Amino acid sequence: MTLIKSISGIRGTIGGPAGEGLTPVDIVKFTYAYAVKLRERLPKPAGERYSVVVGKDARISGEMVENLVVGTLSACGIDVIKAGFASTPTTEMAVTMSGADGGIILTASHNPKQWNALKLLNEKGEFLNAAEGNDILRCAEEAAFDFAPIEEIGAITEEDFTDRHIDAVLAMPAVDAEAVRKAGFKVVLDAVNSVGGIIMPRLLERLGVECIGLNCEPDGDFAHNPEPLPANLVELSGTVVREKADLGISVDPDVDRLAFICETGEPFVEEYTLVSVAEYLLEEAEKAGVKNLATVSNLSSTRALRDVTEKHGGVYYASAVGEVNVTTLIHEKNALIGGEGNGGVIYPGLHAGRDAMVGVALFLSNLAHKKLTVSALKATYPQYYIAKNKIQLSDSALINKILEELQKVYAAEDINTIDGVKIIFEEKREWVHLRKSNTEPIIRIYAEAPTMERAEALASEIIAIANQIIEK
């Protein structure tokens, strides 16, 4: 059994002893702490009600977790708006649409079906920052439970925000629904038996796209590993080729990550989801005469975003890994778009959260304008390859030693230390990023280069030096 407590919430496997798995005791404890800190963060006059949106993906444990979260919030005197089956971005938008004071998303994202989680939102529908998250973690361990009297328990209502989310996506100026309809696209959608099977077909229907659905029944019994990686999308790739579809679309269980499959059955590569959408927005902004544009991604994402941004006269910024870090920098730099290389597209013009519906609508608009196949579109972008490795250590104290020594070895290169150590070899257009795991004695190593052979060689070079440091 596993229970992981972090600043963004609490996640774990269902069952087991309290404190070791995600049990009813843990769910109540952390929901209570969220309620306590919500009142501290947003003080209101006496008697004025608080409200929180609760949405869930289609996991088997979803109803059980929802009942506990909703009941606890109500017992704390907080009104609850149950969004039911709702994607993560839908729940985020529901917070602002309803004027709520916060939100809790019940999803373990791309983790397998035995996992679930509570992801915590502020009144803007955005994830809590590090300080706020740490306050909740402390409160959960120290709180003396004290619930509302019967006259003050929270009301519970239900509202489906799915169509309002789709309406908002289609209303974005950069979404050319008419061009998409005229293009007559045929797509295959793999929704991995979760809420993507509810919202994504509705969006595609509104765009006039023919949709062949795979694993669209939202029963939580995931047909395959739910992370949208090529190894998990064999059925999708084969169906795209067999059906002669224009592309394949894959989302994770809470629909905040997005990956495409080319008409050839080959992966578009999820790193390029953001790159493609970003260049389309940069081109549209250029046509409108908008200047001083910025984009953001995290340190472990492809350099291709920087390349296309600078190609269009913009400025690229890199954040620490983690969605809240990306969104913080997006706000700080007033960026046009940002996201992560895992297929997460964040378009602040709508809301500051990863949103696969936004990504699909913008990608199809781009494809309709350019009149290219998906594989031909991919070929227009700078080509890079990322090798992902890790070093398993017996002693976590070695992690900082390795990172410090590597900085000395590569002192002549451009080094970024805002999140681990990233060494940038500018002339070769290569980089390697080393980060320590928050839960295990592991250093994760991402290396990118213009060829996979070179990316793997660079990673091997770094690993060899790290091993020499360990042996000293």
Side-chain angles (χ1 to χ4, degrees), residues 230-282:
N232 303 326
L233 303 178
V234 175
E235 181 187 17
L236 176 60
S237 294
T239 305
V240 167
V241 174
R242 185 174 64 254
E243 297 290 340
K244 296 182 171 56
D246 295 292
L247 72 154
I249 298 172
S250 172
V251 294
D252 64 342
D254 67 327
V255 207
D256 64 350
R257 288 175 58 177
L258 173 65
F260 297 113
I261 298 295
C262 298
E263 80 288 351
T264 60
E266 295 298 313
F268 190 75
V269 182
E270 62 175 353
E271 286 282 341
Y272 282 83
T273 300
L274 174 60
V275 174
S276 176
V277 171
E279 182 163 60
Y280 170 63
L281 289 173
L282 288 163

Side-chain angles (χ1 to χ4, degrees), residues 41 46 56 63 76-77 84 138 171 176 219 227 311 331 353 391:
R41 194 176 74 251
K56 66 178 186 287
E63 185 175 4
C76 290
R138 283 191 294 269
D176 192 340
D219 57 16
E227 189 165 11
K311 171 186 170 184
H331 289 316
I391 301 175

Side-chain angles (χ1 to χ4, degrees), residues 94-208:
V95 172
T96 55
M97 286 175 173
S98 63
D101 300 298
I104 299 180
I105 309 168
L106 311 179
T107 175
S109 193
H110 62 273
N111 291 107
K113 64 182 179 181
Q114 67 268 31
W115 287 77
N116 213 328
L118 279 64
K119 296 187 176 182
L120 311 176
L121 304 174
N122 63 19
E123 73 281 7
K124 298 177 183 177
E126 298 175 14
F127 290 113
L128 302 181
N129 63 35
E132 293 165 340
N134 281 323
D135 277 348
I136 289 173
L137 294 179
R138 283 191 294 269
C139 180
E141 301 305 326
E142 301 169 358
F145 292 100
D146 184 10
F147 295 98
I150 185 63
E151 298 84 4
E152 297 176 15
I153 63 172
I156 300 170
T157 57
E158 299 181 7
E159 186 172 354
D160 187 343
F161 293 89
T162 298
D163 286 327
R164 291 177 67 183
H165 183 184
I166 293 171
D167 289 342
V169 169
L170 295 178
M172 295 190 307
V175 172
D176 192 340
E178 186 58 31
V180 174
R181 292 187 191 99
K182 288 180 178 177
F185 293 125
K186 178 181 181 180
V187 308
V188 182
L189 166 70
D190 185 346
V192 71
N193 305 102
S194 193
V195 293
I198 298 172
I199 190 169
M200 197 63 78
R202 289 194 208 175
L203 172 66
L204 293 169
E205 181 181 4
R206 295 275 300 276
L207 285 167

Side-chain angles (χ1 to χ4, degrees), residues 370-441:
K370 290 194 167 69
K371 295 181 172 59
L372 296 173
T373 63
V374 176
S375 59
L377 179 65
K378 170 71 187 307
T380 66
Y381 304 124
Q383 300 298 302
Y384 294 102
Y385 300 83
I386 295 181
K388 299 180 180 182
N389 294 270
K390 63 184 177 183
I391 301 175
Q392 182 87 42
L393 300 168
S394 57
D395 182 1
S396 58
L398 287 169
I399 294 176
N400 288 336
K401 179 182 178 182
I402 291 170
L403 297 182
E404 290 169 4
E405 290 297 318
L406 281 169
Q407 289 182 66
K408 296 175 185 176
V409 172
Y410 293 100
E413 307 297 340
D414 183 7
I415 295 178
N416 187 315
T417 58
I418 64 171
D419 184 6
V421 174
K422 182 171 183 176
I423 306 163
I424 304 165
F425 305 90
E426 187 61 38
E427 290 186 5
K428 296 180 180 179
R429 305 173 74 81
E430 301 173 351
W431 57 260
V432 60
H433 186 204
L434 299 95
R435 296 178 63 244
K436 63 181 178 181
S437 167
N438 293 324
T439 57
E440 307 171 82

